[in-house]
Amino acid sequence: MKESEMRKTLILLLLMLPIVLAACSGSADVMEINLEASGMQYQPATIEVVAGKPVKLTFHNGDSLEHDFSIMEIPLMTVGATAEPMAGHDMGNMTTDPQLHMAAAMNSTNSMEFTPTKPGTYEFFCTVPGHKEAGMVGTLVVKSP
Ligand SMILES: [Cu+2]
């Protein structure tokens, strides 16, 4: 290889370095999931994620009443809510708080980040009285990495 070619190759490598570094940093590794609630149904009703991989769940409520997304028990590494808890959110007469909970007012969107740690099948549902019974229930499948 001639010296000028070598220099070109070196410059090219240096130019590519920031791109490689950016690809390795955390944010690119977040799994983005979109969940929709409308007509007392979750869409999709089954969500698949991977254990140990951060998930960003965006919950859009297209109904004209309040809905939420709750899982009673799920092993987690981190939970970060990007929105404030909703004031006056009615969770019925629940004695224990769900481990994972996110509410969305009518025609609004909310999101949160969490990392599931244990493979398995977890039920999610809406805690607003009557909604689970009306069909607001789904399955979160945590697969082995
Ligand atoms: Cu609901």
Side-chain angles (χ1 to χ4, degrees):
M1 204 186 278
K2 276 186 278 169
E3 201 186 323
S4 64
E5 275 178 60
M6 258 177 77
R7 201 165 288 153
K8 255 187 223 163
T9 310
L10 191 68
I11 290 166
L12 202 67
L13 280 172
L14 285 172
L15 284 172
M16 280 168 65
L17 198 63
I19 300 165
V20 175
L21 288 175
C24 290
S25 72
S27 63
D29 217 29
V30 175
M31 214 169 159
E32 296 204 27
I33 306 276
N34 288 303
L35 181 69
E36 176 105 21
S38 70
M40 288 280 187
Q41 298 254 292
Y42 287 114
Q43 202 60 248
T46 303
I47 300 171
E48 279 193 5
V49 296
V50 179
K53 198 169 181 183
V55 177
K56 186 185 180 196
L57 181 68
T58 302
F59 181 46
H60 177 70
N61 179 5
D63 269 346
S64 51
L65 28 92
E66 177 187 334
H67 289 307
D68 67 32
F69 169 92
S70 299
I71 296 179
M72 287 313 288
E73 270 183 64
I74 179 167
L76 299 170
M77 207 142 66
T78 48
V79 182
T82 53
E84 292 291 308
M86 245 174 74
H89 173 56
D90 184 7
M91 286 173 65
N93 301 314
M94 297 188 62
T95 46
T96 44
D97 284 341
Q99 230 161 338
L100 213 50
H101 178 78
M102 168 170 56
M106 57 171 155
N107 296 307
S108 72
T109 303
N110 203 348
S111 70
M112 68 172 167
E113 282 189 39
F114 62 92
T115 306
T117 54
K118 204 176 162 202
T121 302
Y122 306 89
E123 179 190 74
F124 65 84
F125 66 100
C126 182
T127 63
V128 178
H131 288 201
K132 187 186 179 185
E133 293 73 16
M136 289 202 73
V137 58
T139 309
L140 177 77
V141 180
V142 180
K143 296 189 289 184
S144 303

